[in-house]
Amino acid sequence: MRFAILKGACGFGDRLQCLLQAIHYAHTTGRHLVVDWRDPEWSHGESVEVEDYLHIGEVQTMRLGAFLTLFKASRGQLSVWPSPWNDRMTDPDFHAYIYKPEYNHDHSDIIRQIAAHESLDFHHDVVVLPGIGHRSYRFEDFRRVFLVGWITTQLKRFAAQQHLCRAHYDVVHLRGGSKVWAGGKVKLPEITAQIGARWPTRESYLNEIHNRYREVVSGSCSDLVLLTDSRQLGESWQHAFGCGRLLNDTFNTELSGSGIHQIEAQVLFMRGVDKRRINYEMIRDFVVMLNARHLVSDGVSLFSKVAGQARQADVQLYRLTGLP
């Protein structure tokens, strides 16, 4: 057996892109796909595997726990690329060094070439795909991704409660993360400066998004859902334009870094918030965007950008019917 190990990092948009790349690579090479999302932006130490949220079909897979047991039992007999991962494979704290060059070796081009049958696959037993940097992916691989039962059950109940039916509502996505005036930030100062120059104030940001919304929606304001990582930002929209409804999110009252996914475990623990619930709401919001009649965003957020691209590829993941 040979394996492709996807290590997790960043927000849900990045995560999905890297998952699609890993699915394509594993499908082409016949490797077993193992998804390691133990990074703190997805898991806060609890025993959670990607299979608790998603099912991947048409590709051979192995749950992370089973793979780690196998890897430990192999006693170094499995060859690994890039080689530094050999001594770190079972370490849950890979977030601390995943960005170091020796752990990714600018992998994206060679993985794309292998997946496209333009190059031979590695001879190694285990190939690690760090979920960072540039990645090549195909939205057609979304047809291999399915939501597990407890999530679809929750989505059905949620759609009925909120009266959400595919193509009968619009979505505006407002991202506070990365906006200094909203309490967010990004790691790279140049990106912060670019965002600050484009939207120096909350008002300038809201006005631009509202103008985009009015360009795609004719006539009176339709049923508009506001998705945001900052409830204050959503309430500012409602006050300024008199339209839109906010969903009853578990936690969107404060930001850390570029979004809710970066809020530390201790903060959520003190607030009595379950990280698993936060992850579900990210998936829920992504599905809400996929099912909307129109989706309007700032064009910077990768979360809504990936959703917009998936919509163009007619990806649904789950069809909201608004029925009990």
Side-chain angles (χ1 to χ4, degrees):
M1 293 171 62
R2 299 189 306 159
F3 303 92
I5 315 300
L6 173 62
K7 298 285 184 177
C10 304
F12 194 60
D14 293 274
R15 214 168 280 272
L16 281 180
Q17 288 180 338
C18 293
L19 178 61
L20 294 177
Q21 179 189 42
I23 289 172
H24 189 198
Y25 171 70
H27 184 261
T28 298
T29 60
R31 292 179 178 270
H32 282 73
L33 176 61
V34 180
V35 180
D36 185 354
W37 282 359
R38 292 176 294 167
D39 61 291
E41 293 171 319
W42 183 261
S43 171
H44 283 172
E46 66 274 29
S47 180
V48 174
E49 301 189 343
V50 71
E51 289 83 359
D52 294 331
Y53 299 90
L54 305 173
H55 168 69
I56 301 170
E58 302 181 21
V59 175
Q60 297 181 97
T61 62
M62 180 178 285
R63 293 184 72 105
L64 175 63
F67 169 76
L68 294 179
T69 298
L70 175 66
F71 190 83
K72 291 175 184 177
S74 73
R75 301 181 182 277
Q77 294 180 9
L78 295 177
S79 56
V80 179
W81 185 91
S83 58
W85 284 106
N86 188 59
D87 297 326
R88 302 280 191 127
M89 187 67 69
T90 62
D91 183 5
D93 297 323
F94 55 81
H95 198 258
Y97 48 82
I98 194 173
Y99 292 93
K100 294 182 178 180
E102 60 267 31
Y103 287 91
N104 55 71
H105 289 303
D106 196 19
H107 66 285
S108 60
D109 281 344
I110 183 61
I111 295 300
R112 179 196 61 77
Q113 292 169 9
I114 295 171
H117 300 284
E118 297 174 359
S119 180
L120 294 177
D121 191 18
F122 298 98
H123 68 271
H124 303 77
D125 301 304
V126 180
V127 171
V128 178
L129 308 177
I132 62 170
H134 178 72
R135 72 287 307 222
S136 299
Y137 54 93
R138 310 179 310 166
F139 278 103
E140 61 190 85
D141 286 311
F142 252 123
R143 64 183 173 83
R144 299 188 171 103
V145 180
F146 306 90
L147 302 178
V148 299
W150 75 268
I151 291 184
T152 58
T153 298
Q154 293 262 28
L155 286 173
K156 182 178 180 180
R157 183 182 302 118
F158 164 79
Q161 291 170 344
Q162 296 293 329
H163 305 290
L164 293 177
C165 186
R166 179 171 174 79
H168 283 75
Y169 63 90
D170 298 326
V171 166
V172 164
H173 180 238
L174 304 171
R175 184 190 182 197
S178 77
K179 318 295 192 307
V180 174
W181 40 258
K185 62 181 179 180
V186 292
K187 295 180 180 179
L188 300 177
E190 60 269 25
I191 302 298
T192 301
Q194 292 173 8
I195 293 175
R198 180 173 177 182
W199 299 300
T201 65
R202 182 187 310 272
E203 291 71 23
S204 62
Y205 180 76
L206 292 177
N207 285 333
E208 179 176 324
I209 306 303
H210 184 256
N211 289 337
R212 290 188 185 187
Y213 175 62
R214 297 311 303 173
E215 288 176 0
V216 299
V217 177
S218 59
S220 59
C221 180
S222 63
D223 185 13
L224 173 62
V225 175
L226 302 175
L227 299 181
T228 180
D229 54 4
S230 168
R231 188 168 191 87
Q232 186 179 19
L233 190 56
E235 291 173 346
S236 295
W237 171 285
Q238 292 174 320
H239 178 75
F241 309 118
C243 64
R245 55 181 171 125
L246 287 161
L247 302 181
N248 186 24
D249 289 324
T250 300
F251 190 82
N252 64 355
T253 55
E254 61 185 86
L255 286 172
S256 176
S258 61
I260 293 174
H261 65 282
Q262 290 189 336
I263 294 177
E264 296 180 355
Q266 184 67 16
V267 174
L268 293 183
F269 177 77
M270 294 296 292
R271 304 294 193 280
V273 177
D274 181 15
K275 179 67 169 174
R276 181 183 175 95
R277 180 69 187 180
I278 297 293
N279 290 343
Y280 158 73
E281 290 182 356
M282 282 193 291
I283 296 173
R284 178 205 69 188
D285 288 357
F286 191 76
V287 171
V288 169
M289 288 189 286
L290 293 182
N291 278 266
R293 182 180 64 150
H294 299 296
L295 170 61
V296 178
S297 65
D298 60 18
V300 173
S301 166
L302 197 58
F303 183 48
S304 50
K305 184 181 290 186
V306 171
Q309 294 170 336
R311 286 163 54 85
Q312 294 177 355
D314 198 29
V315 172
Q316 291 185 27
L317 278 184
Y318 182 82
R319 186 180 183 90
L320 299 179
T321 65
L323 299 175

